[in-house]
Amino acid sequence: PRPTARTARISFISHGWPVIARFAIEADIEAVLALCAMGAAERGVPFVDAVARPKLLAALARGNPAIFVADAEGELVGALKASLVEHDLFDGFYAVQDLFFVRPDVRGSRAAALLIQALIYWSEALGADKIIGQSDHPDKPERLAAFLKRFGFEKAGSCVERPRSTSNGTFRQGRQ
């Protein structure tokens, strides 16, 4: 049988800095929501607790998406959410890193690296064909791309987005 998102076990310890990357548990929900709110504020996007809370609780119950946390002696300093997605036209699945945030005061430590290592270990242990790493940070997508390259990620095309118009509910028209 194919392993599920809840069967991979993660435990990385960074020597010299007391932090581990592990799966989030229900008791972590307030701290994870606080990290999500910080990440949203940094990106300039709205954060709505009433929307995020039930989604995170459902993810914890299902195991997909998986939520990893960087735990520094009981204090959560980072979080990563990743989903397993089945291929549409052929057998197999892949992992997508959906959300990734490390508190500014611990950036440059091993917290981010441990979260990415946990993502890689989890994805490979479950048999994912590939991992898609993505950044929705408007100012620093190339910084995350450079960071992910250290873990074997490669550039694979580009992504563009088209925001919905806020004036009348229709999509903005591009150049004619």
Side-chain angles (χ1 to χ4, degrees), residues 3-47:
T4 66
R6 299 191 61 81
T7 60
R9 299 288 181 247
I10 309 295
S11 181
F12 292 99
I13 298 175
S14 175
H15 301 288
W17 199 63
V19 65
I20 61 169
R22 61 171 174 79
F23 284 111
I25 57 174
E26 197 167 331
D28 297 327
I29 192 72
E30 297 304 325
V32 172
L33 286 166
L35 289 167
C36 291
M38 282 188 258
E42 186 175 272
R43 288 168 176 77
V45 298
F47 175 78

Side-chain angles (χ1 to χ4, degrees), residues 83-123:
S83 301
L84 297 176
V85 181
E86 290 187 4
H87 292 290
D88 290 329
L89 303 176
F90 53 92
D91 192 30
F93 61 96
Y94 58 96
V96 178
Q97 167 258 308
D98 302 313
L99 176 146
F100 182 35
F101 180 77
V102 174
R103 279 189 353 213
D105 62 311
V106 295
R107 290 182 187 156
S109 69
R110 296 276 305 147
L114 291 173
L115 287 168
I116 295 299
Q117 288 173 331
L119 167 65
I120 292 167
Y121 177 81
W122 173 75
S123 301

